[in-house]
Amino acid sequence: MNKKTQRIIVIVVAAALLLTVLVPALSVLAYGTVTKSDIQDIKDELADIKDQKKDAEARLAAIRNDLSKAKEQMELIQSQVVLTESQINASQQLLDQYDGDIAAKEAEIADLEVQEQEQLKEFYRQTRWMEETGSVSYLSILFQASSFSELLDYADLITNIMEYSNRIIDRLENTQRQIGEARDAVQTARNEEAVAKEELEGQKAELEAKRAEQDKLLKQIAASESEAAEEAKKLAESEALINKQLKEAERKYAQQLAELERQNQQNNNNVNMTSGNWYWPLPGRYKISSLFGSRIDPINGRRDNHTGTDIPAPSGTPIYAAQDGVVTTVNRNQYASSYGYYCIISHGNGYATLYAHQCQVPPLTEGQTVSKGQVIGYVGTTGRSTGNHLHYELRVNGVRGDVLRLYPGMTFTSPAGGTIRGG
């Protein structure tokens, strides 16, 4: 993937990221009612933004670390560039030397060729003279001597003629040999010069490649750092905006709960919370499988403190609200709690009831007002459960209590099979 493509992807991802983050939050504040679920969604988005921000900051730190390493690499490349330039200078000097040697040899060859021409002329003159006197033999010349001293003179003359001819030939041959050697030396120098030129071109290409590598490295690092910094900046801006929206949503939600609580308290000012006005959440099902308080845990077999009252019922049995109130919690992740799917309803005066282990997400939203006897969910066995039942729990000012005390005069079947009374 080239850098241009990477830049386009970063821009698209950043734009998509801002849209996916801001649209849910903005939609929450666009309506008059804010639920706890909406607030949780904003918190989840905020957590996701924070994670992405950490990742972006980590990538930026890594890029800057790479930048530091790249600077070291660039220094190495620069030293290689300097060495290559030195090689190029040395190669150029060698080529200049070859040019000088070749010029000197060519001048030497020119002088030798002039000398060769003079020697050839002399050789040709000697040859013509030999041809012109060819009818007279050296032996007849010796026989023409009239005395021994004359004979010696003739012999010296013949010897001188022969030596002169030989010297001409020797000088000519030597000159031709020198010309051949000089020409060989020139050819060798030219061959070596060609190799040196080829090496020089390779060194120049290597130098250009190293400089291009250096420029590419700088541009890549600068682009990566800029992209990562821009992404981190956008994420930081998104985080600040989401934080602001979260505070506004929480403020609105708190106002809604306070108003609903006030209305609920007004409606229940004349109601005694323990006077028998509570609706049993599973009408017709009064068998209790586990009471509030100390018991043997059915899963681990150890004694523990049971925080509610368990009422067996088939899966999907409707669960009804025990009293008017405001939904404060809806758990949509059965694995987030040992309660599984559950909901909590605030009834005013510090009273709240919890309905756990439902078979599906309760069909409610936080902040919703419910009426006594309204369906608020369905029996199940999600969470830490050994079978289908409703875990029915009472909380008064945040402290768990025995829910059966809300039902004075009602009778129930105890886990042992006996009868117990509420109240």
Side-chain angles (χ1 to χ4, degrees):
M1 183 184 295
N2 58 40
K3 297 303 293 182
K4 183 177 181 182
T5 304
Q6 288 178 342
R7 290 194 189 96
I8 293 172
I9 291 174
V10 168
I11 293 170
V12 172
V13 169
L17 176 64
L18 286 175
L19 287 174
T20 57
V21 168
L22 298 182
V23 168
L26 292 173
S27 65
V28 167
L29 299 179
Y31 298 97
T33 301
V34 177
T35 68
K36 192 172 182 180
S37 175
D38 294 329
I39 292 175
Q40 187 58 49
D41 288 343
I42 296 175
K43 287 181 177 179
D44 291 343
E45 294 292 346
L46 182 59
D48 185 53
I49 283 288
K50 287 181 177 178
D51 289 341
Q52 293 184 56
K53 184 182 174 185
K54 287 180 181 177
D55 290 342
E57 289 172 348
R59 288 196 300 273
L60 184 58
I63 288 171
R64 285 173 176 164
N65 183 50
D66 289 342
L67 178 60
S68 176
K69 293 180 180 177
K71 287 179 179 177
E72 295 178 4
Q73 185 178 351
M74 285 168 54
E75 290 176 1
L76 178 60
I77 292 174
Q78 185 59 36
S79 65
Q80 292 175 334
V81 166
V82 171
L83 288 174
T84 304
E85 288 175 341
S86 298
Q87 284 182 318
I88 290 172
N89 291 334
S91 297
Q92 188 60 57
Q93 290 176 3
L94 181 61
L95 287 175
D96 293 341
Q97 182 65 42
Y98 278 131
D99 288 340
D101 291 345
I102 290 171
K105 285 292 182 182
E106 287 178 342
E108 180 183 346
I109 289 171
D111 291 341
L112 287 172
E113 286 176 343
V114 171
Q115 183 178 332
E116 180 187 34
Q117 290 302 317
E118 294 296 327
Q119 291 172 348
L120 281 172
K121 289 178 182 179
E122 187 177 358
F123 176 74
Y124 293 152
R125 286 196 300 271
Q126 180 66 15
T127 302
R128 281 196 297 274
W129 180 82
M130 293 292 291
E131 288 177 350
E132 290 171 357
T133 59
S135 57
V136 180
S137 68
Y138 292 131
L139 187 60
S140 61
I141 292 173
L142 292 174
F143 289 155
Q144 291 176 6
S146 57
S147 66
F148 181 73
S149 61
E150 194 173 74
L151 177 63
L152 291 177
D153 290 336
Y154 285 154
D156 288 339
L157 176 61
I158 292 171
T159 300
N160 289 335
I161 292 172
M162 294 178 65
E163 288 178 352
Y164 177 72
S165 298
N166 289 335
R167 283 197 301 273
I168 291 174
I169 294 172
D170 289 342
R171 284 199 303 272
L172 181 59
E173 288 178 348
N174 185 54
T175 300
Q176 290 176 339
R177 178 182 57 76
Q178 288 178 350
I179 290 173
E181 290 175 353
R183 285 175 175 166
D184 290 343
V186 167
Q187 188 59 49
T188 300
R190 282 176 176 164
N191 292 340
E192 291 176 353
E193 183 181 40
V195 172
K197 283 182 178 179
E198 186 177 353
E199 290 179 354
L200 178 61
E201 292 304 317
Q203 290 163 0
K204 288 181 178 179
E206 181 183 355
L207 178 62
E208 290 303 316
K210 289 187 183 300
R211 284 176 173 166
E213 180 185 358
Q214 189 178 36
D215 292 341
K216 181 180 178 182
L217 185 61
L218 276 172
K219 289 177 182 177
Q220 286 179 345
I221 291 169
S224 297
E225 184 179 22
S226 175
E227 288 165 4
E230 182 64 22
E231 182 182 358
K233 179 183 176 183
K234 288 183 181 296
L235 289 170
E237 291 172 352
S238 300
E239 181 184 24
L241 183 56
I242 292 295
N243 270 319
K244 181 179 178 181
Q245 292 166 344
L246 176 60
K247 288 180 181 178
E248 177 63 16
E250 287 177 336
R251 185 188 65 78
K252 276 192 173 185
Y253 181 65
Q255 287 179 343
Q256 290 170 195
L257 287 182
E259 178 61 23
L260 290 170
E261 181 71 12
R262 185 186 64 79
Q263 293 175 4
N264 197 41
Q265 286 180 356
Q266 287 179 350
N267 294 334
N268 290 293
N269 275 339
N270 299 320
V271 177
N272 184 345
M273 285 297 178
T274 60
S275 66
N277 290 315
W278 291 80
Y279 193 86
W280 186 246
L282 295 178
R285 299 187 181 279
Y286 304 104
K287 177 177 173 58
I288 308 301
S289 59
S290 186
L291 293 167
F292 174 81
S294 179
R295 68 161 186 180
I296 300 298
D297 189 293
I299 294 178
N300 59 34
R302 294 194 294 268
R303 183 164 294 281
D304 70 353
N305 186 45
H306 191 220
T307 59
T309 299
D310 290 347
I311 311 163
S315 177
T317 301
I319 303 169
Y320 300 90
Q323 189 59 266
D324 296 343
V326 178
V327 178
T328 59
T329 302
V330 176
N331 180 41
R332 293 173 171 78
N333 182 357
Q334 64 168 311
Y335 302 107
S337 169
S338 60
Y339 288 134
Y341 294 124
Y342 71 92
C343 63
I344 299 176
I345 301 173
S346 173
H347 306 289
N349 294 331
Y351 279 70
T353 50
L354 178 146
Y355 309 81
H357 303 309
Q358 297 185 36
C359 65
Q360 63 184 42
V361 176
L364 306 170
T365 57
E366 289 88 344
Q368 177 182 345
T369 300
V370 296
S371 301
K372 181 171 66 174
Q374 177 180 334
V375 174
I376 57 171
Y378 301 91
V379 172
T381 184
T382 57
R384 192 172 183 272
S385 171
T386 58
N388 290 301
H389 72 282
L390 169 63
H391 176 92
Y392 183 30
E393 186 171 308
L394 170 66
R395 297 179 181 182
V396 182
N397 295 319
V399 179
R400 293 180 174 88
D402 186 356
V403 74
L404 293 184
R405 71 184 179 85
L406 300 177
Y407 302 91
M410 289 184 63
T411 58
F412 304 93
T413 302
S414 71
T419 299
I420 56 175
R421 287 185 178 275

